[in-house]
Amino acid sequence: MSKTIKKVNIPFYCYREMSTHFENRGSEAIGFALCSKAVRENDVYLFMKKFMPISYENTDSSPQYVKWKFKDMMPTIQEAVDNGLCIIKVHSHPNGFNNFSETDNNSDKELFPAIYELTDEDSYHVSMIFLKNKSLISRYVDSEGTFKDIPKIIVPDDDIKIFHREEFVGTSSNFQRTAQAFGSLTVQKLQKLKVAVVGASGTGDPTVTQLIRNGVGDIVIIDPKESRQVNMNRMSHLKASDVMTKKPKADVLRDHAISTGLNVKVKSIVKDVGDEEVIKELSTCDIFVGCMDSVRGRHILNKISSSYCVPFFDIGVQLKADGYGGISSMWASYFYIKPGGPSLYSQKVYTMDKLQAETIKFDDPDHYKDLQKNDYIVNVDESAPAVISVNNIIAGLCVLDILGRIHPFRDESNSKFNSYRFNYCEYEPEFIEDHEPCSLFLKSVSEGDEISLLRNSKGSKLNQYYSEDMNAKSTEKTV
Ligand SMILES: [Zn+2]
């Protein structure tokens, strides 16, 4: 057993199905789930695709045990074999016992070697328990029936549920004041959280600062560009000397994070969001925050979020100049995207025309110029006004929203606050309630490394990826 399963990500709808199946029953119940996997060196990450309950009528159960027929799990095994998926056995403990029992140990030692006999030897099968308080614990069981606890399970619902296997130790004195506001358990969860911030200038800079100062323990900063003089008006940690040496923006924020001495693990990647290294790094994160202007970048991030079932926050700022040295509108927004729910696209943050234009401009700038000359394509925004005060406000609201989903503190359900828009010229903030799932992204939830961005070769990947999504355009309404 050389590899370690680090985490299981579960889409909200699978978790809700599990709750319906297991809750409010005096006796144990059982079901099986199928997962895709991502192997990153010695670490393995699992992403649940679907939950398949075994009906109560076909089991013999009490508050202490559940017995079922092996033949009832054959459809699960067949689907795992056909699609190279991993299996999770999930049963409930309705009596409040918060660990694997001796009965579970004996059952798993017998069951799992039999499952490995029938499936791919590269599989990673798991035993999970749905506890009385609705939390989950899990362990990897290898082909010999040896167990290894899985440290983390994450369910990105309206609340982001994070279940840790190990007990927490005390809160560092650095974050005592945050703990006074959000509870020491929240701070301890933040210290075990890995968050990526994609885009390191206007809104990325204050987002990274606030995540670190609130106690997030592991930060990844991604931005392909070097710092320029125009960034001086909005990056708090940018120095004239950084601009002189053209230091990458991601490295500027990384070095600032290290200089705080807050014992945060930090890594910068100076690459585009569509790069293979970035996609693979993001797949291992617990949350990521998109701080990008580009439609192309936001579409790609939404795709990565769905494919690896990682909760995603998008921060957008759009200031429009009136052409006379003033401002005609000043929009700022954040969206919380739970995989399998509404997407940025279904919430009309952008259109496919805009995505097409940016994609062609990125892949083939000369071709884009030709199309533009002949009015065959919409214009890509070249540069827009930017003001640090607007960026700081919206980044602050988004970080508060992240905290509020890990530790719910609002009077009403988080589902009422899944997106927020504000036009500072009108001063009318607007919260938008959760609505219909986006069919375009729903089909890619938990597909793992099958994500089209990794599947296609460098030259064609974005066009290929874009053409798959273009089918959605026929039903698109103009915004
Ligand atoms: Zn049990």
Side-chain angles (χ1 to χ4, degrees):
M1 194 185 272
S2 60
K3 291 198 166 34
T4 305
I5 300 184
K6 298 288 270 192
K7 189 170 52 152
V8 183
N9 294 29
I10 303 177
F12 72 92
Y13 49 84
C14 287
Y15 179 80
R16 290 182 191 182
E17 283 162 20
M18 283 157 66
S19 297
T20 307
H21 184 57
F22 293 123
E23 261 192 313
N24 304 321
R25 276 181 56 80
S27 298
E28 290 191 7
I30 189 160
F32 294 89
L34 289 165
C35 299
S36 66
K37 65 174 186 290
V39 180
R40 306 283 180 254
E41 295 177 355
N42 282 324
D43 297 335
V44 180
Y45 297 83
L46 298 183
F47 317 100
M48 191 180 284
K49 289 175 85 77
K50 66 171 170 181
F51 175 65
M52 303 157 93
I54 301 281
S55 80
Y56 311 126
E57 290 73 39
N58 294 339
T59 63
D60 164 19
S61 69
S62 82
Q64 277 78 36
Y65 70 85
V66 56
K67 290 178 181 165
W68 75 100
K69 298 185 190 74
F70 192 76
K71 73 172 176 55
D72 287 338
M73 69 172 295
M74 282 316 286
T76 313
I77 291 178
Q78 192 57 52
E79 207 170 325
V81 171
D82 291 346
N83 301 304
L85 300 172
C86 304
I87 295 170
I88 302 186
K89 166 198 166 194
V90 198
H91 78 288
S92 59
H93 276 184
N95 56 5
F97 184 63
N98 288 340
N99 212 332
F100 288 92
S101 66
E102 206 44 49
T103 312
D104 297 333
N105 292 346
N106 294 332
S107 161
D108 287 352
K109 274 180 193 156
E110 194 183 322
L111 173 69
F112 282 85
I115 296 177
Y116 280 99
E117 285 280 309
L118 298 168
T119 56
D120 193 341
E121 58 184 29
D122 289 337
S123 297
Y124 297 90
H125 303 309
V126 166
S127 183
M128 184 178 278
I129 307 177
F130 186 96
L131 301 174
K132 192 179 182 185
N133 65 4
K134 296 184 73 171
S135 65
L136 298 165
I137 58 170
S138 65
R139 64 185 182 190
Y140 165 35
V141 190
D142 73 4
S143 55
E144 266 118 56
T146 315
F147 312 131
K148 199 172 189 178
D149 284 341
I150 299 176
K152 197 187 276 184
I153 298 170
I154 185 160
V155 183
D157 205 337
D158 296 318
D159 301 342
I160 300 174
K161 298 179 176 68
I162 307 169
F163 306 118
H164 290 272
R165 192 72 174 102
E166 55 194 83
E167 296 289 317
F168 287 117
V169 285
T171 310
S172 152
S173 60
N174 289 326
F175 306 113
Q176 250 172 22
R177 301 299 174 99
T178 315
Q180 284 171 343
F182 297 107
S184 60
L185 190 64
T186 306
V187 172
Q188 286 162 350
K189 281 185 179 177
L190 290 172
Q191 296 202 259
K192 287 182 177 293
L193 207 61
K194 181 175 181 180
V195 182
V197 177
V198 188
S201 47
T203 50
D205 180 306
T207 302
V208 168
T209 303
Q210 292 179 44
L211 291 172
I212 292 168
R213 301 283 176 181
N214 276 307
V216 170
D218 194 347
I219 296 264
V220 182
I221 304 158
I222 296 157
D223 196 303
K225 293 190 179 151
E226 49 199 34
S227 48
R228 294 186 298 147
Q229 194 65 34
V230 294
N231 301 122
M232 284 302 283
N233 84 325
R234 59 190 181 279
M235 284 183 69
S236 301
H237 308 294
L238 186 62
K239 297 192 284 285
S241 56
D242 296 329
V243 176
M244 288 276 286
T245 56
K246 296 182 177 171
K247 186 169 176 174
K249 290 189 273 188
D251 291 352
V252 171
L253 291 191
R254 177 203 58 197
D255 290 352
H256 166 69
I258 294 168
S259 75
T260 62
L262 285 173
N263 200 23
V264 57
K265 190 175 165 196
V266 55
K267 174 179 182 176
S268 61
I269 305 181
V270 185
K271 285 189 172 158
D272 178 72
V273 63
D275 187 274
E276 181 177 340
E277 184 187 343
V278 173
I279 296 166
K280 290 192 167 171
E281 186 69 34
L282 288 174
S283 70
T284 69
C285 291
D286 300 316
I287 289 174
F288 42 81
V289 188
C291 297
M292 288 180 297
D293 299 331
S294 83
V295 164
R296 177 186 158 275
R298 294 163 113 179
H299 187 77
I300 290 174
L301 262 193
N302 205 149
K303 193 82 167 188
I304 299 170
S305 156
S306 297
S307 300
Y308 296 104
C309 195
V310 179
F312 156 46
F313 294 80
D314 172 84
I315 303 180
V317 175
Q318 198 181 35
L319 272 55
K320 284 211 167 121
D322 64 6
Y324 303 101
I327 283 283
S328 60
S329 69
M330 211 190 275
W331 279 100
S333 62
Y334 71 77
F335 287 80
Y336 168 56
I337 303 296
K338 55 175 198 261
S343 68
L344 292 176
Y345 173 71
S346 72
Q347 294 181 88
K348 300 187 172 36
V349 173
Y350 57 87
T351 61
M352 281 294 161
D353 280 341
K354 202 88 171 176
L355 175 62
Q356 178 188 37
E358 283 196 13
T359 306
I360 293 174
K361 189 172 181 228
F362 184 87
D363 282 352
D364 189 350
D366 291 338
H367 182 47
Y368 173 75
K369 271 186 206 145
D370 284 346
L371 292 171
Q372 204 186 24
K373 222 182 290 170
N374 297 309
D375 274 343
Y376 286 146
I377 199 156
V378 297
N379 279 326
V380 170
D381 301 328
E382 295 295 342
S383 70
V387 176
I388 186 171
S389 312
V390 180
N391 295 335
N392 282 5
I393 289 172
I394 198 67
L397 288 171
C398 182
V399 171
L400 268 181
D401 193 76
I402 295 173
L403 294 172
R405 289 180 198 279
I406 293 169
H407 174 100
F409 59 75
R410 290 168 166 132
D411 292 340
E412 292 191 78
S413 157
N414 272 327
S415 67
K416 291 192 181 302
F417 304 94
N418 283 349
S419 67
Y420 174 87
R421 279 187 258 225
F422 198 102
N423 181 353
Y424 292 86
C425 292
E426 295 175 350
Y427 232 74
E428 279 179 17
E430 180 187 7
F431 278 107
I432 297 157
E433 272 192 59
D434 199 16
H435 57 96
E436 287 298 291
C438 174
S439 56
L440 179 63
F441 286 87
L442 191 58
K443 59 179 187 278
S444 61
V445 175
S446 292
E447 65 181 353
D449 284 349
E450 289 298 310
I451 183 170
S452 53
L453 287 162
L454 290 181
R455 219 165 45 216
N456 301 303
S457 64
K458 175 75 185 141
S460 66
K461 67 181 180 184
L462 288 172
N463 280 325
Q464 163 81 32
Y465 159 53
Y466 157 75
S467 66
E468 281 177 9
D469 294 343
M470 267 304 280
N471 299 329
K473 202 184 153 186
S474 53
T475 57
E476 188 176 275
K477 292 186 194 74
T478 326
V479 285

